[in-house]
Amino acid sequence: MDLGIKGRKAVVTASSKGLGLGCARALAEAGVDLVMNARGAEALATAAAAIRSDFGVEVTEVPADITTPEGQKAVLTAAGDADILVTNAGGPPPGMWSDWDREDFIKALDANMLTPIALMKALLPGMCARGWGRVVNITSQSVKAPIPALGLSNSARAGLTGYVAGTSRQVAPQGVTINNLLPGIHATDRADSLDKGVCDAEGITMEEARARRAGTIPARRYGTAAEFGSACAFLCSEHAGFIVGQNLLVDGGATNMTL
Ligand code: NAP
């Protein structure tokens, strides 16, 4: 399917690996020029070079921590008048409700709520003025059904979801859509580190931990970054202009609900 976005420009934050990279590659495949970001310059350069070579689009690399004001400024300077924004950042660490203090919440809110809001606030005016724009925020299945050990993530992402619910209705009249993509378990470094925690706690192998987790997913496997990226590219496409303020689960059926 021609996504109708060839020649547009997208910012994808936290995109040298994993789900962010999946989104960047899917947009590049649709002919979109990119601003890519991650803290580690080397992995970012490798990912960007592969995209240039595979898809022939322009890629600007911005090595920076997107959760800091300086990192956001650097990314936004490179972004210019971008038509598409995909927000992403690392997830907060797991723990128990009794572990977290004010500072832990501030850090999680900064990374997973206030950073995407700052990027939207900076780029939405241009999108609205031009009458076309797409924003996709990578959040988590924990927005729909809590993952108890991820209390910091549950809290921060719920806040972002509330913001998007209202804001998406305010910018829709100008041809701009904002939606959230909610990943379930995908085969990325993040999933490896969660599985490693299970291995260490229970004295089982990585294979056993992965098989056990995959067994809880109706699709009986982990998702791939490529298929997650395809869902993102569709939401950023010309065809998705009537999809506003939605929270789309990409989780192999793992979240057990009717609606
Ligand atoms: P990942 O494989 O660990 O990749 C994270 C990417 O983000 C890397 O490119 C990393 O590069 C970059 N990054 C992390 N923190 C950053 C920061 N502060 N500033 C700029 N770049 C940063 O993670 P993932 O699995 O793709 O997960 C992406 C998001 O989806 C996370 O928020 C995660 O919690 C959420 N999620 C993932 C899953 C899953 O199963 N994978 C499920 C639900 C939710 P650098 O380290 O070099 O910065």
Side-chain angles (χ1 to χ4, degrees), residues 11-12 27-28 32 53 89 94 101 104 122 131 143 158 169 173 179 197-198 251:
V11 179
V12 187
L27 288 166
V32 173
S53 146
D101 295 324
D104 302 303
V143 168
R169 269 89 184 173
N179 293 287
V198 175
D251 71 346

Side-chain angles (χ1 to χ4, degrees), residues 88-102:
N88 185 33
M96 278 294 283
W97 62 271
S98 49
D99 296 340
W100 303 310
D101 295 324
R102 178 179 164 78

